[in-house]
Amino acid sequence: MERVKDYLQENEDRLLDKLKQFLAIESISTDPEKKPAMEEAVTFLTDYLEDIGFEKVERRETGGHPLVYAEYNGAADAPTALFYGHYDVQPADPYELWDSAPFSPEIRSGRLFARGASDDKGQVFMHLAVFEAMMKTEGSLPVNVKVLIEGEEEIGSEHLYTYLDDNKEELKSDFALISDSGMVDKGVPTILYGLKGFTGLEVTLTGPNRDLHSGLYGGAVKNPAMAMAQLLATMKNTDEQVTVDGFYDSAENLPEAERKLMNEAPGEHYPETTGVPETAPEKGYTAKEHTMARPTLEVNGLFGGYQGAGTKTIIPSEATAKLTCRLVPGQDPKQIQDALVRHIEAHVPKGVRADIKREALSAKAYKVDPDHPLLQKAAESYSAAFGRETVFVRLGGSIPVVESIDSGFGIPVVLLGFGTPEDNLHSPNESFPVEHFSKGMEVLADFYTKAVE
Amino acid sequence: MERVKDYLQENEDRLLDKLKQFLAIESISTDPEKKPAMEEAVTFLTDYLEDIGFEKVERRETGGHPLVYAEYNGAADAPTALFYGHYDVQPADPYELWDSAPFSPEIRSGRLFARGASDDKGQVFMHLAVFEAMMKTEGSLPVNVKVLIEGEEEIGSEHLYTYLDDNKEELKSDFALISDSGMVDKGVPTILYGLKGFTGLEVTLTGPNRDLHSGLYGGAVKNPAMAMAQLLATMKNTDEQVTVDGFYDSAENLPEAERKLMNEAPGEHYPETTGVPETAPEKGYTAKEHTMARPTLEVNGLFGGYQGAGTKTIIPSEATAKLTCRLVPGQDPKQIQDALVRHIEAHVPKGVRADIKREALSAKAYKVDPDHPLLQKAAESYSAAFGRETVFVRLGGSIPVVESIDSGFGIPVVLLGFGTPEDNLHSPNESFPVEHFSKGMEVLADFYTKAVE
């Protein structure tokens, strides 16, 4: 272990440079024009895995963006870890809000700024660097490893689930390991033992077949933007309770013991870190409880009519809202999506037509016993590297692959995240603390070794 | 009168050619590069007015595009008419959607196609041609005339109102005459006896200081797009009644007699012409009544968060709505704007901040008694020329200069429009029926003569 740690320290600058090359690739999976960049990211990963000494390094076609697959089978009698990550990133717009260009990685004040620095290219790279360090120093890895890095996480992992289903035998492992999350606070070791599920849809309300003059037609036709406001207002009340019939019916009741854990866990001080005038959690819950363990309904995008400077006196032809929900254990994504569709269909204001696009991606929530031995080992590695007790939390975010591995393979999923609340995931100025890069690699090296014991 | 009519008929081809020269001038007021064309249009008008025999023909500086001013004072003891029009036009883009070039006037299927053919150069020209015909045949005009043709109507008449204020004495007249509107249908004589007023504002709700991850922050912070939906939904109910305190307080009650007039007037069949599934007027009113004579509140634009393809699971930092109202007699634009601001401030959902930008432009509604002798005379002239009974309507649109002349000069404004619903004002392929050109000039000649009686 010491030699691995030394190697990582001695090679930190070179490894950071290599990571910067990876981050400079504009692998935005949602943008069809970035297809060449997606290919470039695949090549970066397959080249690196081959250099490290992995076997069966392959680009796997999926029907969408390819997966990167590789195996290490040199640890006879040792367990097999399935390492999952993703090489695609969120779009970077609005570009003008970035202090340095999103695909020109730059270190400032101890942070590496780039789209994907934290989510998830930076954290994927840490695993590969640890594998490199072990191979270069020990000549082997302590566990067998199956590497699966997808390119569609940010667009819903459309082809991943079929792939997992179709390749159960090849992917067979003893546990899974994912670093695509964060710590409750910078420097505070954190094990995630629960994630939210996910579903969503897009609704467009159409009134007139073109934008109309607001003077000549105002009063004759329903305004689709107002209709959208009225429709959305029927879905959530000002107590932040979702008013869609059946929404909470099968949601797990939040145990008192967990409520206590959540409220005691260190974490963000929301008004300060977000700039909001006050928090707005569901009535009867704290902001921490709501984000970690209560379901949500969010408007991710809303648009219709004129958006330029000044005034344009039109009645827009249509208005659109993009909605997603985060779900808790017990809620079935399909049933919740159905409930949303039924609610919208029943509440479309007269004078407009609704067109609903169901989001294809969905995921159930995930929860594992925090006392599981692997989670406890991971906590030890964490506490050792960061010099602080590990906290156990649930996350409001969704990592659908976790639930999928859980239900499809029946193996525990260890979530070792190294991001921080200041990382600006999905936002301008995404970044990752350089210190977490080095300490995180220590954690990984230690955990991969401990996992065998 | 017969000699005037004969003259107009005999000279129709020559007059149309002269109109085409006027329409060929690219007098787009919003485009700084078209300044020479604006000058050319001014010269065309001053030359023509001098040829006809007007006195005091002058180009008047305003600080923006100049006004054209002229007087005819040869009708001793007769009343004085103030004729207002505008020589500027809307931009013509997208040019590729025009079947013939916007500044190469062309007659096809009985219509004259060109930018400005209807709005307003074509209709301005009709008055000048009638003046010419009267001077050439009778040697005089039956009324005194003050001509005021501005070059900034399409950009908000920025300098007109100050000009009207500063030149009250010179502009003193007995009535005003404007042809910058249309008929309810081709061939249906129409007198506009009312216009709506106008006010507006833009409101932005800001929550977090950046877009946030909907999983990590959903439940902690208020979603500004949902907040906007909830706020807008407090402003109008699904009966299409504006629920802003005080909004209807001083609005004129719509007299039963007028309701009858409006519903009997020919006009658009809304569901068919707009493609809406059904009309959505204020409860208790028909679509025609609401568009013509009830105040409206419209969302002209609504936007916040992600608008691209697919899903982006964010909580938007902010959401914006652009709102305008059309007002009826009795409503004061400033008071209504104040009421909107007060309502918004009182209904901002907790967790977001509101930033309100008041729209600077506003106008009161205008209404003149349809039984006013001048309107009745105009109707007679109209019916005689078109061989059909004249209908009296109010318009949901606003023509701020009308209200400005009404309140500033205290004289009736006679709105004699000759456009049709098919004219494509402000759109590609603007046109004007050639038949309305000749019949409209008959109406004007007859009306100018009758106005003295």
Side-chain angles (χ1 to χ4, degrees):
Chain A
M1 251 306 284
E2 281 315 303
R3 285 195 295 175
V4 174
K5 275 168 82 170
D6 290 347
Y7 180 92
L8 289 169
Q9 269 169 27
E10 283 156 20
N11 289 274
E12 185 171 329
D13 286 350
R14 184 183 54 79
L15 288 169
L16 274 172
D17 282 343
K18 194 172 171 81
L19 169 56
K20 284 182 187 170
Q21 289 169 32
F22 188 31
L23 293 172
I25 302 170
E26 304 187 22
S27 51
I28 303 168
S29 47
T30 198
D31 185 347
E33 289 187 7
K34 300 296 181 197
K35 230 176 151 50
M38 296 298 288
E39 293 296 332
E40 214 184 317
V42 168
T43 304
F44 176 94
L45 290 170
T46 49
D47 285 355
Y48 194 10
L49 285 160
E50 272 169 1
D51 286 352
I52 295 167
F54 269 75
E55 304 156 28
K56 223 174 148 178
V57 178
E58 285 171 14
R59 156 212 172 92
R60 294 278 172 90
E61 300 306 333
T62 63
H65 297 300
L67 287 161
V68 171
Y69 185 73
E71 287 184 2
Y72 174 82
N73 297 309
D77 302 328
T80 300
L82 174 62
F83 164 61
Y84 162 88
H86 64 94
Y87 66 84
D88 65 324
V89 298
Q90 279 277 314
D93 49 291
Y95 281 72
E96 66 274 17
L97 296 185
W98 287 76
D99 295 328
S100 54
F103 298 103
S104 302
E106 189 178 297
I107 294 175
R108 296 193 304 275
S109 315
R111 283 190 162 265
L112 174 55
F113 285 84
R115 173 57 87 227
S118 180
D119 176 18
D120 180 38
K121 284 154 90 177
Q123 300 200 57
V124 162
F125 187 84
M126 288 162 69
H127 285 259
L128 304 194
V130 166
F131 296 150
E132 174 195 321
M134 287 170 158
M135 292 296 273
K136 292 282 182 190
T137 53
E138 313 289 347
S140 65
L141 305 184
V143 290
N144 300 301
V145 178
K146 292 176 178 174
V147 170
L148 185 67
I149 306 172
E150 71 156 322
E152 301 190 308
E153 200 272 346
E154 301 293 2
I155 51 170
S157 302
E158 194 189 338
H159 299 89
L160 177 69
Y161 306 111
T162 316
Y163 185 88
L164 291 176
D165 270 356
D166 292 349
N167 295 276
K168 278 224 163 71
E169 200 48 45
E170 183 181 52
L171 293 167
K172 212 165 165 236
S173 307
D174 298 294
F175 65 94
L177 192 51
I178 303 178
S179 299
D180 189 18
S181 53
M183 296 155 62
V184 292
D185 215 347
K186 187 163 183 294
V188 180
T190 307
I191 301 276
L192 258 183
Y193 70 96
L195 293 165
K196 281 187 182 169
F198 173 92
T199 188
L201 56 77
E202 181 178 306
V203 54
T204 297
L205 299 182
T206 305
N209 50 23
R210 62 193 188 279
D211 291 350
L212 296 178
H213 188 292
S214 75
L216 304 184
Y217 295 92
V221 305
K222 180 76 187 178
N223 184 311
M226 181 56 88
M228 182 59 81
Q230 291 169 336
L231 172 63
L232 295 176
T234 66
M235 301 181 80
K236 210 169 173 184
N237 64 24
T238 49
D239 285 334
E240 299 299 316
Q241 292 161 326
V242 177
T243 47
V244 171
D245 209 34
F247 187 78
Y248 294 109
D249 282 1
S250 51
E252 170 204 61
N253 275 325
L254 182 55
E256 277 306 316
E258 285 198 46
R259 291 177 81 142
K260 195 159 175 290
L261 264 183
M262 286 169 191
N263 291 312
E264 282 170 4
E268 277 196 74
H269 298 283
Y270 291 121
E272 293 77 7
T273 55
T274 59
V276 296
E278 57 189 318
T279 58
E282 182 186 346
K283 193 178 180 182
Y285 296 91
T286 65
K288 277 182 180 171
E289 288 165 1
H290 194 171
T291 53
M292 288 191 199
R294 289 291 298 168
T296 62
L297 166 68
E298 298 292 349
V299 183
N300 309 124
L302 180 61
F303 49 100
Y306 181 65
Q307 304 190 18
T311 298
K312 189 177 182 192
T313 50
I314 54 161
I315 297 169
S317 169
E318 59 178 39
T320 296
K322 290 171 180 277
L323 304 174
T324 53
C325 293
R326 302 284 179 168
L327 309 175
V328 300
Q331 290 183 300
D332 179 76
K334 180 72 175 60
Q335 281 176 12
I336 295 295
Q337 195 181 50
D338 288 346
L340 295 177
V341 169
R342 272 197 308 274
H343 179 97
I344 291 169
E345 286 172 349
H347 290 81
V348 176
K350 68 169 215 169
V352 294
R353 294 179 182 88
D355 175 39
I356 300 173
K357 270 190 227 157
R358 286 170 183 261
E359 166 65 43
L361 170 71
S362 74
K364 281 187 189 156
Y366 169 75
K367 200 172 143 183
V368 63
D369 182 356
D371 291 330
H372 190 286
L374 275 171
L375 267 66
Q376 291 297 324
K377 281 179 190 173
E380 279 170 37
S381 306
Y382 238 135
S383 297
F386 282 88
R388 209 172 144 167
E389 207 178 331
T390 299
V391 297
F392 287 77
V393 296
R394 287 166 66 176
L395 184 73
S398 313
I399 314 181
V401 66
V402 174
E403 189 269 322
S404 183
I405 292 172
D406 175 47
S407 60
F409 293 79
I411 57 174
V413 183
V414 185
L415 297 164
L416 288 179
F418 302 103
T420 71
E422 292 77 33
D423 288 2
N424 285 352
L425 305 184
H426 296 203
S427 299
N429 296 316
E430 178 176 348
S431 69
F432 188 77
V434 176
E435 193 190 348
H436 282 210
F437 180 67
S438 42
K439 287 195 174 167
M441 290 195 297
E442 268 183 53
V443 174
L444 293 176
D446 195 53
F447 177 72
Y448 274 115
T449 309
K450 276 210 179 74
V452 193
E453 293 162 9
Chain B
M1 250 309 284
E2 280 315 303
R3 285 195 296 174
V4 174
K5 274 168 82 169
D6 289 347
Y7 180 93
L8 289 169
Q9 269 171 26
E10 282 156 20
N11 288 275
E12 186 172 330
D13 286 351
R14 185 184 54 79
L15 289 169
L16 275 172
D17 281 345
K18 193 171 171 83
L19 170 57
K20 285 182 186 172
Q21 288 169 33
F22 188 31
L23 293 171
I25 302 170
E26 304 187 22
S27 51
I28 302 169
S29 48
T30 200
D31 185 348
E33 289 186 8
K34 301 297 181 195
K35 231 175 151 51
M38 295 299 286
E39 293 296 333
E40 214 184 316
V42 168
T43 305
F44 176 94
L45 290 170
T46 49
D47 285 355
Y48 194 10
L49 285 161
E50 272 169 1
D51 287 352
I52 294 168
F54 269 75
E55 305 157 28
K56 221 173 148 182
V57 177
E58 284 171 15
R59 155 213 172 92
R60 293 280 170 90
E61 300 305 332
T62 63
H65 295 300
L67 287 160
V68 171
Y69 184 73
E71 287 183 2
Y72 174 82
N73 296 310
D77 302 326
T80 301
L82 174 63
F83 165 61
Y84 162 88
H86 64 94
Y87 66 83
D88 65 324
V89 297
Q90 279 276 316
D93 48 295
Y95 281 72
E96 66 275 17
L97 296 185
W98 287 75
D99 294 329
S100 54
F103 297 102
S104 302
E106 189 178 297
I107 294 175
R108 295 193 304 277
S109 315
R111 282 190 163 265
L112 175 55
F113 286 85
R115 171 58 85 227
S118 179
D119 178 17
D120 182 40
K121 284 156 90 176
Q123 300 201 56
V124 162
F125 187 85
M126 287 162 70
H127 285 259
L128 304 194
V130 166
F131 297 148
E132 174 194 322
M134 287 172 160
M135 292 296 273
K136 292 281 181 189
T137 53
E138 314 289 346
S140 66
L141 304 186
V143 290
N144 299 301
V145 178
K146 291 174 179 176
V147 170
L148 184 69
I149 306 171
E150 72 156 321
E152 298 189 312
E153 199 272 347
E154 301 294 359
I155 52 172
S157 301
E158 194 189 338
H159 299 89
L160 178 69
Y161 305 113
T162 317
Y163 185 87
L164 292 177
D165 269 355
D166 292 350
N167 295 276
K168 278 226 163 73
E169 199 49 46
E170 182 180 53
L171 292 168
K172 211 164 166 236
S173 307
D174 297 295
F175 66 94
L177 191 52
I178 303 179
S179 298
D180 190 18
S181 53
M183 294 154 65
V184 291
D185 215 346
K186 187 164 181 293
V188 181
T190 307
I191 301 275
L192 256 183
Y193 71 94
L195 293 164
K196 281 188 180 168
F198 173 92
T199 189
L201 56 78
E202 181 178 307
V203 55
T204 296
L205 298 182
T206 305
N209 50 23
R210 60 192 190 278
D211 290 350
L212 295 177
H213 189 291
S214 75
L216 304 183
Y217 295 92
V221 306
K222 179 75 187 177
N223 183 310
M226 181 56 89
M228 181 59 80
Q230 290 169 335
L231 173 62
L232 294 176
T234 66
M235 301 181 80
K236 208 169 174 183
N237 64 24
T238 49
D239 287 334
E240 298 300 315
Q241 292 162 324
V242 177
T243 47
V244 171
D245 208 35
F247 187 78
Y248 294 110
D249 282 0
S250 50
E252 170 204 61
N253 275 323
L254 181 55
E256 276 306 316
E258 285 198 44
R259 293 176 80 142
K260 195 159 173 289
L261 267 182
M262 287 169 189
N263 290 311
E264 282 170 4
E268 277 195 75
H269 298 283
Y270 292 119
E272 293 77 8
T273 54
T274 59
V276 296
E278 57 188 318
T279 58
E282 181 185 347
K283 194 180 179 181
Y285 296 90
T286 66
K288 278 183 180 172
E289 289 166 0
H290 195 171
T291 53
M292 287 191 199
R294 290 291 298 168
T296 62
L297 166 68
E298 298 292 349
V299 183
N300 309 123
L302 179 62
F303 50 100
Y306 182 64
Q307 303 190 18
T311 298
K312 190 177 182 193
T313 50
I314 54 163
I315 297 169
S317 168
E318 59 179 39
T320 296
K322 289 172 181 277
L323 304 175
T324 52
C325 294
R326 301 281 180 169
L327 309 176
V328 300
Q331 290 182 302
D332 179 77
K334 180 71 175 60
Q335 281 177 13
I336 295 296
Q337 195 181 51
D338 287 346
L340 295 176
V341 169
R342 272 196 308 274
H343 179 96
I344 291 169
E345 286 172 351
H347 290 81
V348 176
K350 68 170 213 166
V352 294
R353 294 178 182 90
D355 175 40
I356 300 172
K357 272 190 225 157
R358 288 168 183 260
E359 165 65 42
L361 178 68
S362 75
K364 280 188 190 153
Y366 169 75
K367 192 176 146 186
V368 62
D369 183 355
D371 291 331
H372 190 287
L374 275 171
L375 266 68
Q376 290 297 323
K377 284 178 190 174
E380 277 169 39
S381 307
Y382 238 135
S383 298
F386 281 88
R388 211 173 142 165
E389 209 178 330
T390 299
V391 298
F392 287 77
V393 296
R394 288 164 66 175
L395 184 74
S398 313
I399 311 179
V401 66
V402 173
E403 189 267 323
S404 184
I405 292 173
D406 176 46
S407 60
F409 293 80
I411 57 174
V413 182
V414 184
L415 298 164
L416 286 180
F418 302 103
T420 71
E422 293 76 34
D423 288 2
N424 285 351
L425 306 184
H426 295 205
S427 299
N429 296 316
E430 178 176 349
S431 69
F432 188 76
V434 176
E435 195 190 347
H436 281 209
F437 179 67
S438 41
K439 288 196 175 166
M441 289 194 298
E442 267 183 54
V443 174
L444 294 176
D446 196 51
F447 176 72
Y448 275 115
T449 309
K450 279 212 178 71
V452 193
E453 294 161 8

